[in-house]
Amino acid sequence: MAAPTEPRGTALNEASPDAVVLDTDGVITDTARVHASAWKRVFDDFLRRRARERGEEFRPFDTGADYLLHVDGRPRADGVRAFLASRGIALPEQVSRPGQDSVAALADAKDAAFRAALDRDGVVAFPSTVALVRRLRKDGIGVAAVSASRNCARVLAAAGVDALFDVRVDGMDAARLDLAGKPAPDLFLEAARRLGTPPGRTAVVEDSLAGVEAGRRGGFALVVGVDRNGRAAALAERGADVVVPDLGELGWPPWRTR
Ligand SMILES: O=P(O)(O)OC[C@H]1O[C@@H](O)[C@H](O)[C@@H](O)[C@@H]1O
């Protein structure tokens, strides 16, 4: 487990935030790994078939590096494009003839795999995150759930935590409002706007590299990185002020480490 790092010093060190915006997959619910394994199944099927057809070596999708660098925190189709680009592969956006590979077909297959896993296994919320959110609410601090995922409402409801959040901004909103995906800060800024707090009085909690970068780029007062996979240094490098292995490690007030 990564040791908590000290806050780098932000405007919030001596005062409470007025609101906290939390990423969903991997911060509120234990679903980052469900996304990662759905991606692996779909990309590995594609890569194996492609390698066979071309007589090349099959190099599988890595749920560590490939997921974190290219897919985690990004909208579905962006994740497909970014990962394929990392392997030097370009596909058409849509299928123009039956059986053709496309960005849309891989994205649809991943969504089917993800939903099947949700239906089969259910969803668990991290108890430490739920405890933190309850504490924030008790103190009158607004809380929002944010996600690049179009499945966010379904995930929060399946975990039984949807009623805990004052605001939700997700992949459905992003499509409807034409918000740019992470690492652009648009989703977090929209959440802060709906909560009625300026970014300079709002904290962001994220576990993805793209997400901490979005928090930093949005000018948020504090970006908390949650590191469940030993990548504290990368999260700090991309903009996290403080990195903890779990939100149970955040002291109170919530920006102080124990
Ligand atoms: O495909 P969905 O459910 O719209 O989710 C999009 C992305 O949502 C993010 O929260 C996940 O980190 C990614 O893995 C996922 O691909």
Side-chain angles (χ1 to χ4, degrees), residues 7-230:
R8 269 193 238 139
T10 76
L12 281 178
N13 274 352
E14 299 305 330
S16 289
D18 294 333
V20 178
V21 174
L22 297 99
D23 173 54
T24 300
D25 297 305
V27 172
I28 301 171
T29 54
D30 190 8
T31 40
R33 60 188 178 76
V34 185
H35 279 289
S37 64
W39 280 119
K40 179 167 178 59
R41 175 183 295 204
V42 169
F43 281 138
D44 279 359
D45 281 352
F46 165 73
L47 293 168
R48 195 179 289 110
R49 184 163 40 79
R50 185 178 165 93
R52 201 183 303 125
E53 283 166 9
R54 297 173 160 236
E56 293 169 358
E57 193 192 338
F58 163 56
R59 184 152 62 95
F61 177 82
D62 179 346
T63 51
D66 286 329
Y67 183 71
L68 301 177
L69 285 174
H70 308 301
V71 177
D72 193 16
R74 294 179 193 271
R76 197 182 308 158
D78 286 2
V80 176
R81 289 186 206 101
F83 171 65
L84 293 180
S86 78
R87 297 288 179 98
I89 301 171
L91 291 182
E93 285 294 309
Q94 302 285 338
V95 185
S96 54
R97 56 181 160 75
Q100 188 185 24
D101 288 311
S102 68
V103 170
L106 290 178
D108 287 351
K110 183 268 171 177
D111 196 42
F114 179 71
R115 287 178 182 230
L118 291 190
D119 291 345
R120 190 183 58 236
D121 303 331
V123 179
V124 175
F126 291 106
S128 54
T129 304
V130 173
L132 173 66
V133 170
R134 288 194 202 284
R135 179 78 190 257
L136 291 167
R137 289 178 67 93
K138 197 158 149 265
D139 285 7
I141 295 172
V143 278
V146 164
S147 180
S149 174
R150 291 172 184 243
N151 289 295
C152 180
R154 171 190 287 249
V155 163
L156 292 173
V161 295
D162 45 336
L164 280 181
F165 297 91
D166 302 300
V167 160
R168 186 186 77 240
V169 178
D170 62 20
M172 297 296 219
D173 297 296
R176 192 168 46 83
L177 301 172
D178 200 21
L179 302 175
K182 302 170 195 173
D186 299 32
L187 291 171
F188 292 142
L189 292 174
E190 176 65 13
R193 191 189 66 76
R194 291 190 197 177
L195 286 165
T197 56
R201 297 287 321 150
T202 304
V204 163
V205 186
E206 254 292 352
D207 69 328
S208 74
L209 299 177
V212 294
E213 185 177 334
R216 177 54 53 222
R217 280 166 60 174
F220 284 85
L222 181 74
V223 180
V224 176
V226 179
D227 167 37
R228 305 191 195 275
N229 303 301

